[in-house]
């Protein structure tokens, strides 16, 4: 297992969930939800620098069949933009099928999600976005630990 913090971003149309690992790469934790639009890449860049991340994982929302539709194309474009901005920090695309569903199920099973937790729609979606990034990153960390290889595909930077 490679040592160093990894950052995961789960880009959506309105928000980007962000999670980070501990330096040993064992546990993923929520960081924040970044509003999509002007300044989003700047904020993610700042988080990479603040946490001294060795790598960024971007969720690739392929369909259950594995085909890539419009959402996957948007994720690829966002990952390419991040890769150019963060170079030489590597950016990887990792399959994120079912991360949001898994995150919602885990949150609904938790005691704080219902009455006392994120009550409003926006607050709840923000928590779900972060939780989806945690699920994505934890799956990537676990895959690397079991295979001995970095997960997903590296996003090449045009030079």
């Amino acid at each position: 297992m490679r040592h160093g913090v990894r950052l995961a971003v789960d880009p959506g149309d309105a928000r980007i969930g962000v999670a980070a690992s501990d330096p040993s790469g064992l546990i993923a934790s929520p960081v924040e939800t970044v509003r999509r639009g002007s300044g989003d890449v700047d904020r993610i860049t700042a988080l990479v620098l603040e946490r001294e991340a060795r790598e960024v994982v971007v969720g690739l929302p392929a369909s259950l069949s594995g085909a890539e539709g419009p959402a996957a194309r948007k994720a690829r474009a966002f990952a390419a933009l991040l890769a150019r901005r963060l170079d030489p920090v590597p950016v990887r695309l990792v399959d994120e099928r079912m991360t949001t569903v898994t995150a919602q199920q885990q949150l609904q099973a938790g005691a704080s999600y219902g009455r006392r937790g994120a009550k409003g729609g926006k607050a709840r979606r923000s928590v779900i976005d972060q939780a989806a990034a945690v699920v994505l990153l934890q799956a990537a960390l676990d895959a690397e630990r079991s295979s001995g290889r970095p997960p997903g595909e590296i996003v090449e930077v045009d030079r």
Side-chain angles (χ1 to χ4, degrees), residues 2-6 21-26 52-55 141:
R2 299 170 299 150
H3 187 76
V5 172
R6 274 67 148 208
S21 75
D22 62 301
S24 63
L26 291 175
E52 298 178 353
R54 70 164 300 141
E55 181 172 85
L141 295 170

Side-chain angles (χ1 to χ4, degrees), residues 106-117:
Q106 289 175 353
L107 287 169
Q108 287 171 345
S112 67
Y113 185 72
R115 298 166 73 188
R116 295 186 318 266

Side-chain angles (χ1 to χ4, degrees), residues 23-152:
S24 63
L26 291 175
I27 302 292
S29 301
V31 172
E32 69 181 69
T33 300
V34 176
R35 181 181 229 60
R36 191 71 189 259
S38 178
D40 56 1
V41 173
D42 292 336
R43 180 61 189 143
I44 292 167
T45 300
L47 290 169
V48 168
L49 294 172
E50 287 169 18
R51 293 175 178 268
E52 298 178 353
R54 70 164 300 141
E55 181 172 85
V56 175
V57 173
V58 177
L60 180 64
S63 69
L64 291 178
S65 69
E68 291 187 13
R73 287 191 290 278
K74 287 180 188 177
R76 282 189 181 280
F78 187 73
L81 179 63
L82 275 180
R84 283 191 299 276
R85 176 71 71 86
L86 297 173
D87 190 37
V89 174
V91 174
R92 295 183 164 279
L93 282 162
V94 175
D95 186 350
E96 70 156 27
R97 284 179 273 187
M98 305 302 290
T99 57
T100 301
V101 172
T102 301
Q104 284 176 314
Q105 290 170 342
Q106 289 175 353
L107 287 169
Q108 287 171 345
S112 67
Y113 185 72
R115 298 166 73 188
R116 295 186 318 266
K119 292 180 183 174
K122 283 185 181 179
R124 184 167 285 169
R125 286 188 299 271
S126 177
V127 169
I128 290 170
D129 293 331
Q130 290 176 44
V134 168
V135 170
L136 168 69
L137 183 53
Q138 192 64 56
L141 295 170
D142 293 346
E144 180 173 340
R145 198 170 15 268
S146 67
S147 72
R149 292 186 314 272

